[in-house]
Amino acid sequence: MRRALQAIAAAAIAALGACATPSTPPAATSDRPETFADGTTMSALSAGGTVRIGVKTDVPGLGYRPPGAPASQPPEGFEIELARFVAGELRIPEQGIQWVPMDTYDREGALTGNKVDLVIASYTMTDERAAVVGQIGPYYVTGQQIMVRDGSPITGLKDLDGKTVCSVASSESDKALVAHGAITKAYTSYAACVDALLAGDLDAVSTDGAILAGFLEAHPNSLSIVGEPFTTQRYGIGYRHGDIAMCRFLRATILEAYDQGVWKAAFESTLGKSGIVAPIPPRPDDCPTG
């Protein structure tokens, strides 16, 4: 039953990727120039040989570092592989990537406070965020779903009235839950939410299906994803507001990840392990003009 539900979710998520462009066979080399225009952020980062990338480190499948692992150990996941490709297109070696753990609530602050250069951390694109930071994408489209303990009577959004569901500061997941009568309970991360669900302190956890899929892979005999996606979440790469040259570089890099087969390979080796078939990758929006 669990795998059947995952297949339904995968089909729904793939449908959300409408107006998408298919990936093509890997290219032999990148078309990216060896140098960047003087004065651009790309030129400065490439010359410095270091890039600080804000990533999730507590979400299996997307960005994860095991508890107790040294901070020097690179995280693993779909977004980590995408971040590696971005760094490579900046001509920055693996050892030049600084992995900066991101909480859901501090992604804008990390960019505006110059704590990171980029954010690739299940960062849903919204008009509110676009007023503060730059976001380019989507590089992945998912939808909000519900995770419960096996045997739960909850089968979908309609069953959340009066149920206790996790809430994470600055996430985009609360609105639909509250509208359907759910009682939200605050936690610092989705990893903490899943722990609370397993302990019986919550009735459900609801967030992007991509996030839930990783936790399902970690707890296949205890948890289930129920119902179909009921929102559309478009993941984008965060950069500093107004840096149009960076936006164009990142957009071209996302498309190149598709063309080289990097995106599909990264998906299949990470999120794909939970049973989700790689959808057609979505075409990124155009960058602002100016």
Side-chain angles (χ1 to χ4, degrees):
M1 176 63 73
R2 181 181 296 109
R3 294 303 179 190
L5 288 170
Q6 286 178 300
I8 292 171
I13 291 171
L16 291 172
C19 302
T21 180
S23 56
T24 57
T29 59
S30 168
D31 293 329
R32 184 76 58 225
E34 290 297 326
T35 59
F36 299 97
D38 290 342
T40 62
T41 304
M42 295 82 72
S43 177
L45 291 173
S46 184
T50 301
V51 61
R52 302 165 299 170
I53 305 180
V55 297
K56 289 286 189 176
T57 58
D58 61 351
V59 181
L62 287 174
Y64 186 72
R65 181 187 288 133
S72 59
Q73 178 176 318
E76 300 176 350
F78 172 60
E79 293 183 323
I80 304 304
E81 295 306 312
L82 181 59
R84 283 195 174 97
F85 186 73
V86 171
E89 292 297 279
L90 286 167
R91 308 303 184 214
I92 294 173
E94 171 83 16
Q95 61 268 27
I97 305 173
Q98 295 182 14
W99 304 107
V100 183
M102 287 282 98
D103 289 321
T104 298
Y105 66 85
D106 67 354
R107 291 171 292 191
E108 286 93 80
L111 283 167
T112 59
N114 195 31
K115 297 177 182 177
V116 297
D117 301 301
L118 301 169
V119 170
I120 307 177
S122 57
Y123 202 13
T124 299
M125 300 169 66
T126 68
D127 291 340
E128 292 80 6
R129 288 169 176 166
V132 180
V133 300
Q135 287 187 297
I136 181 61
Y139 58 81
Y140 184 58
V141 179
T142 184
Q144 188 174 345
Q145 290 184 271
I146 299 168
M147 174 177 279
V148 296
R149 292 184 299 279
D150 280 355
S152 170
I154 297 172
T155 61
L157 190 60
K158 62 180 177 56
D159 299 321
L160 292 184
D161 188 16
K163 299 297 190 295
T164 304
V165 186
C166 84
S167 171
V168 173
S170 297
S171 77
E172 289 295 304
S173 301
D174 277 8
K175 297 174 185 177
L177 303 177
V178 173
H180 282 77
I183 302 167
T184 57
K185 187 174 180 180
Y187 288 85
T188 57
S189 69
Y190 285 110
C193 288
V194 171
D195 288 343
L197 178 63
L198 289 166
D201 297 329
L202 289 170
D203 296 309
V205 173
S206 181
T207 187
D208 306 346
I211 294 175
L212 296 180
F215 288 113
L216 181 63
E217 180 69 15
H219 304 282
N221 299 316
S222 304
L223 301 174
S224 296
I225 295 174
V226 297
E228 296 186 3
F230 51 88
T231 66
T232 300
Q233 308 295 333
R234 304 165 74 240
Y235 286 179
I237 300 176
Y239 60 94
R240 287 207 226 304
H241 195 271
D243 193 341
I244 297 174
M246 174 59 82
C247 181
R248 290 171 178 161
F249 162 78
L250 291 170
R251 186 178 189 277
T253 297
I254 292 170
L255 291 172
E256 194 159 339
Y258 297 167
D259 290 342
Q260 292 195 24
V262 171
W263 186 95
K264 184 176 182 180
F267 189 98
E268 290 178 342
S269 66
T270 55
L271 289 172
K273 290 182 177 180
S274 65
I276 299 177
V277 177
I280 296 174
R283 177 167 290 278
D285 297 343
D286 292 331
C287 290
T289 58

